[in-house]
Amino acid sequence: MSESKSFLSGCKGLSLTADEKAFFRSERPWGFILFGRNIGEPAQVADLTAEMRDCIGGGSDTAVLIDQEGGRVQRIKPPHVQQYPNAAALGAIYRADAEKGLRAAWLMSRLHAFDLLRLGINVDCLPVLDVAVPGVHDVIGNRAYGQEPEIVSVMGKAAAEGLKAGGLLPIMKHIPGHGRTMVDSHHDLPVVHASREELEACDFVPFRRMKDELMAMSAHIVFTAIDGDNPATTSAKVVSEIIRGHIGFDGLLMSDDVSMNALKGDIAARSRGIIAAGLDMVLHCHGIMDEMIAVTENVPPLTGDSLRRANAVRAGFPTPDEADEQALREEFNAMIAVA
């Protein structure tokens, strides 16, 4: 397979258009992401993921991502899969019974893997490792396991292990922490004024605990104690000193969606800024062709450490266990019914 470029891409609809196929064949994204607009019947989703891989000559080790958390961030919905609870509900189970909470987090992820892998989706953008502070904006809100870094750490670890048991890879998000945001980063730039000591004692803890995972997604958020001028996604200082340094993460680092308005400038400038900051990959989600072209004109082919990290992901897809789906689903549903 010829070399990939440093971006992941979405598409517009339920199948690829002729223009999208030509674009992907020419520009060779490293991977793909699906959203609700791409989800119809299960057979259609499986056909779409196969089309995507075919465009770049990829096999089962080509990453196809989705945000399938549970709660309001669940791209594939009933009747095709069950409605899963949000992370805060799982965190509440943990606070009542730690062992039961960890089992619930593992089970839900293992069930996600059953749901997704049969559709050709092999990466779930989970766990959310953001430690929520009181009053956090709903953009994170109940997507967080809780307000305690220890709970977020152990629940996130259980969720990641459940995905891997089912043959999927997780993506930690939103590194180095998005739990203090008071505005929606889809529309505005969150600015956090906590001291570095506070951040190291709380926000960064879950990511340090899980630093050996293969992938992470950045936070579009300014930490004034580290870099008051740039959000983490475009901050070379945050990437080098905090994500690669203090946290110690050496896996594949991708941006959150480059289209989000927390980032300044046009798509081209944002894409250049993401790569210049030291991220490995630009994520573009919306399937808007003009924006996709702007991304690909401003990102390089994968080389050096970025290529090494990307290859580690391709080599890192686990073999699913032989678990009994029905038994695990019954166990999980009984657990959340009681909660």
Side-chain angles (χ1 to χ4, degrees):
M1 189 168 63
S2 52
E3 69 182 12
S4 301
K5 281 191 172 179
S6 303
F7 78 110
L8 302 100
S9 185
C11 68
K12 198 66 177 173
L14 299 176
S15 61
L16 297 183
T17 66
D19 285 347
E20 287 171 336
K21 289 179 182 179
F23 174 81
F24 293 147
R25 287 178 181 136
S26 170
E27 300 302 329
R28 310 198 62 75
W30 179 78
F32 302 93
I33 188 166
L34 300 184
F35 281 82
R37 66 178 182 273
N38 307 124
I39 307 302
E41 296 296 321
Q44 166 269 318
V45 180
D47 287 346
L48 175 57
T49 59
E51 271 191 311
M52 288 172 155
R53 289 188 169 97
D54 181 66
C55 284
I56 61 170
S60 59
D61 61 349
T62 295
V64 178
L65 286 58
I66 198 165
D67 293 292
Q68 192 77 349
E69 298 174 16
R72 59 191 170 81
V73 181
Q74 181 172 323
R75 310 304 185 198
I76 306 177
K77 302 179 185 295
H80 306 306
V81 303
Q82 74 179 78
Q83 179 61 52
Y84 292 99
N86 58 46
L90 298 183
I93 296 174
Y94 179 92
R95 281 186 289 277
D97 183 328
E99 185 177 350
K100 186 175 178 182
L102 294 173
R103 180 65 176 167
W106 186 94
L107 281 169
M108 191 167 88
S109 285
R110 183 64 188 87
L111 295 176
H112 284 326
F114 280 121
D115 296 339
L116 299 176
L117 199 60
R118 62 174 61 107
L119 304 178
I121 301 166
N122 57 1
V123 178
D124 194 357
C125 301
L126 189 72
V128 175
L129 295 183
D130 304 318
V131 181
V133 299
V136 64
H137 191 280
D138 286 345
V139 71
I140 299 299
N142 60 21
R143 298 169 66 193
Y145 293 108
Q147 298 179 8
E148 306 88 351
E150 176 62 26
I151 291 178
V152 173
S153 298
V154 296
M155 290 291 281
K157 181 68 172 176
E161 292 302 318
L163 292 176
K164 289 186 282 190
L168 267 66
L169 283 177
I171 296 180
M172 305 184 292
K173 62 186 186 186
H174 305 83
I175 198 168
H178 210 311
R180 294 178 187 268
T181 183
M182 298 298 163
V183 299
D184 185 348
S185 53
H186 292 86
H187 308 294
D188 299 292
L189 176 61
V191 178
V192 167
H193 298 287
S195 69
R196 181 159 175 169
E197 291 72 24
E198 289 175 287
L199 296 168
E200 290 183 0
C202 182
D203 305 56
F204 302 163
V205 170
F207 296 100
R208 288 195 78 183
R209 296 275 188 88
M210 295 184 64
K211 66 181 181 179
D212 293 329
E213 296 298 332
L214 292 174
M215 288 183 282
M217 181 182 294
S218 70
H220 295 340
I221 186 166
V222 168
F223 297 95
T224 59
I226 302 156
D227 182 348
D229 298 323
N230 300 288
T233 299
T234 55
S235 171
K237 190 171 185 182
V238 171
V239 172
S240 63
E241 289 188 15
I242 303 302
I243 297 175
R244 301 298 190 195
H246 173 77
I247 289 171
F249 175 68
D250 188 39
L252 188 77
L253 180 59
M254 66 186 69
S255 71
D256 203 345
D257 183 15
V258 67
S259 302
M260 292 166 64
N261 287 325
L263 301 181
K264 61 187 177 183
D266 60 17
I267 296 294
R270 295 175 187 181
S271 299
R272 290 193 298 271
I274 289 166
I275 297 299
L279 276 73
D280 302 303
M281 206 77 64
V282 174
L283 174 65
H284 183 268
C285 296
H286 288 283
I288 298 170
M289 184 56 72
D290 288 350
E291 293 186 358
M292 292 157 63
I293 291 169
V295 170
T296 196
E297 287 178 345
N298 288 279
V299 299
L302 281 168
T303 58
D305 284 338
S306 293
L307 179 60
R308 170 181 60 80
R309 295 172 183 132
N311 286 340
V313 172
R314 287 196 187 279
F317 283 101
T319 301
D321 62 22
E322 297 182 0
D324 182 327
E325 179 179 359
Q326 183 176 348
L328 294 185
R329 201 168 291 280
E330 289 174 357
E331 180 187 357
F332 178 72
N333 287 334
M335 189 176 288
I336 61 173
V338 172

